[in-house]
Amino acid sequence: MSDERFMRMALRLARRGRPSPNPRVGAVIARDGEVLATGYHRAAGEPHAEAMALAKLDFRAPGATLYVTLEPCVHYGRTPPCAESIVSAGISEVVAGMVDPNPRVRGRGIERLREAGIRVRVGVLEQECTDLNRGFIKVMTLGLPHLTLKVAATADGKLATVAGASRWITSGEARRAVHRLRADSDAIIVGSGTVAADDPRLTARHGGRPRGRQPLRVVLDSTLRCPQDALVFTDRAAPTLVFTTPGADSRKRDELETRGVEVAEVPADIAGKVALPAVLRNLAGRGVLYALAEPGSTLAWSLARSGFVDRYWFFHAPKLFGGARAPTMMGGEGVARVEEAVPLRWSRIRRIGQDVLLEAVPMDREDGPDRDTGE
């Protein structure tokens, strides 16, 4: 079917872009079964997919059909509204994958096109188009980023040995997959314990070098106990944001800010830790659509219990550490009864190098395929 063929082409194009905080969008202009032009939204501030494709035709495409993964915008932002460009170009039909969840658009782009006499159809490969922009949809509808929780452990679920050694549990292939996931995320979240114990760089690297745009490094530190000379504060390889509580040491805050690290205060929860809902809402307000948590066991459990996690990545290496004192994948207070467990559903199981990656989603929701892991 030609509609699905052209929409799949638009989806492939859309995946090339890194436009956060904007959605990924791809567009194909066709006439009589032949492709006239294509485009995709590369980055925020650059032309939208429809405008990119129309520009290749000098914004003239009489009688053509536009296939686009998301409803064309109708408002002025950093770029002009695409709906007006489509009308003036003489496009006769628009096939959109889904309605834009942005309240500033939501159906208005479709309405504008129909008012101009353009035939509009919506819903071709809608599920695939939804999967493409789960982060954008969640921010627009709930004000929260799409959150992936990643844990690397041994076959018996240990994060480190009884002496605290953890490098390296998983294989090089698994670590490269994580770096691809980092590169496709807008922010990486860790707790103060991880920074103190592992001194991670939290950058997307390949062959030891940073690859492309770097995600925002986010540290949750309620008392600002992290070492001031930690790499995330000193290497300047990527921006770092620390969330703390109002009672934190003001002197340490000043020291961090002198290093160029942003420190943001959020309310404390009942345990005195930074309140996770406030952190996630703050990140969404900064344009973070996709957040990746690489926590220690305590923060991992807090996130799992919070209900904010959309997807889990559990890497298991074929190793056994044993030891009752060795940290496990999930710490915290745990549950007393089986009925209190956090229910998950396996979404995919695959082998990466010598390791196994178990992907899961909360039982009460769905999630689409991985965004750009290269796997």
Side-chain angles (χ1 to χ4, degrees):
M1 184 176 180
S2 60
D3 282 352
E4 292 190 358
R5 178 168 67 91
F6 290 130
M7 190 63 73
R8 290 193 190 283
M9 187 181 301
L11 284 163
R12 288 194 297 271
L13 289 163
R15 293 187 183 99
R16 298 180 185 178
R18 295 293 186 277
S20 293
N22 295 342
R24 286 178 167 178
V25 183
V28 174
I29 300 175
R31 186 193 295 126
D32 299 327
E34 294 186 7
V35 174
L36 303 180
T38 63
Y40 66 94
H41 189 26
R42 296 177 184 270
E46 294 192 18
H48 289 185
E50 304 95 314
M52 185 180 182
L54 287 169
K56 296 176 181 179
L57 302 174
D58 199 24
F59 289 90
R60 299 181 61 187
T65 298
L66 168 67
Y67 295 87
V68 62
T69 55
L70 186 70
E71 172 187 3
C73 67
V74 73
H75 65 286
Y76 282 89
R78 298 191 200 180
T79 58
C82 293
E84 298 303 326
S85 298
I86 294 168
V87 171
S88 61
I91 293 285
S92 63
E93 183 178 24
V94 172
V95 179
M98 62 174 289
V99 173
D100 192 332
N102 186 341
R104 301 178 66 187
V105 181
R106 197 180 296 156
R108 295 176 58 213
I110 294 169
E111 181 181 357
R112 173 67 185 100
L113 296 174
R114 285 174 174 163
E115 287 176 350
I118 297 175
R119 183 185 177 198
V120 181
R121 290 183 289 125
V122 183
V124 174
L125 298 184
E126 184 174 14
Q127 187 60 58
E128 288 89 337
C129 293
T130 298
D131 292 341
L132 179 70
N133 281 306
R134 288 190 175 275
F136 181 73
I137 294 169
K138 190 175 179 183
V139 167
M140 286 295 120
T141 57
L142 299 178
L144 300 168
H146 183 280
L147 179 60
T148 297
L149 192 157
K150 168 249 147 183
V151 180
T154 60
D156 55 344
K158 303 297 185 180
L159 299 182
T161 67
V162 292
S166 61
R167 292 184 178 176
W168 296 102
I169 289 178
T170 54
S171 64
E173 292 90 340
R175 296 197 298 275
R176 282 190 288 273
V178 172
H179 282 293
R180 288 192 290 270
L181 181 59
R182 286 182 177 182
D184 202 40
S185 301
D186 301 313
I188 302 175
I189 303 172
V190 297
S192 57
T194 295
V195 174
D198 299 336
D199 196 18
R201 293 164 65 183
L202 300 181
T203 54
R205 302 183 301 279
H206 182 67
R209 297 182 179 182
R211 45 177 285 149
R213 118 194 130 89
Q214 291 293 339
L216 174 68
R217 301 182 291 195
V218 178
V219 180
L220 310 187
D221 189 352
S222 57
T223 61
L224 296 183
R225 71 184 183 96
C226 285
Q228 295 285 309
D229 59 353
L231 286 172
V232 291
F233 304 145
T234 60
D235 67 1
R236 298 186 182 275
T240 300
L241 168 63
V242 177
F243 284 103
T244 191
T245 60
D249 189 325
S250 59
R251 179 182 56 82
K252 290 183 177 180
R253 174 173 183 161
D254 292 342
E255 291 177 3
L256 288 173
E257 291 177 336
T258 298
R259 295 178 182 272
V261 176
E262 183 181 357
V263 181
E265 286 187 0
V266 295
D269 61 19
I270 193 170
K273 305 295 185 181
V274 294
L276 294 175
V279 167
L280 295 173
R281 284 195 296 267
N282 186 296
L283 292 176
R286 295 169 181 265
V288 171
L289 302 185
Y290 294 92
L292 169 64
E294 299 191 39
S297 61
T298 301
L299 179 56
W301 179 246
S302 295
L303 288 168
R305 285 298 301 268
S306 73
F308 294 128
V309 178
D310 298 283
R311 180 177 60 170
Y312 294 83
W313 271 30
F314 299 116
F315 283 96
H316 285 276
K319 302 172 183 176
L320 301 172
F321 283 175
R325 293 185 294 110
T328 57
M329 295 168 59
M330 295 285 162
E333 74 283 5
V335 299
R337 298 182 303 159
V338 172
E339 294 78 10
E340 297 173 332
V342 177
L344 304 180
R345 174 176 57 82
W346 298 121
S347 57
R348 182 155 64 157
I349 301 174
R350 51 190 167 129
R351 182 171 176 173
I352 298 181
Q354 298 177 353
D355 309 312
V356 174
L357 171 57
L358 307 178
E359 298 180 42
V361 295
M363 184 67 76
D364 61 350
R365 75 191 74 170
E366 297 180 356
D367 201 3
D370 296 321
R371 298 176 68 237
D372 272 334
T373 64
E375 295 300 324

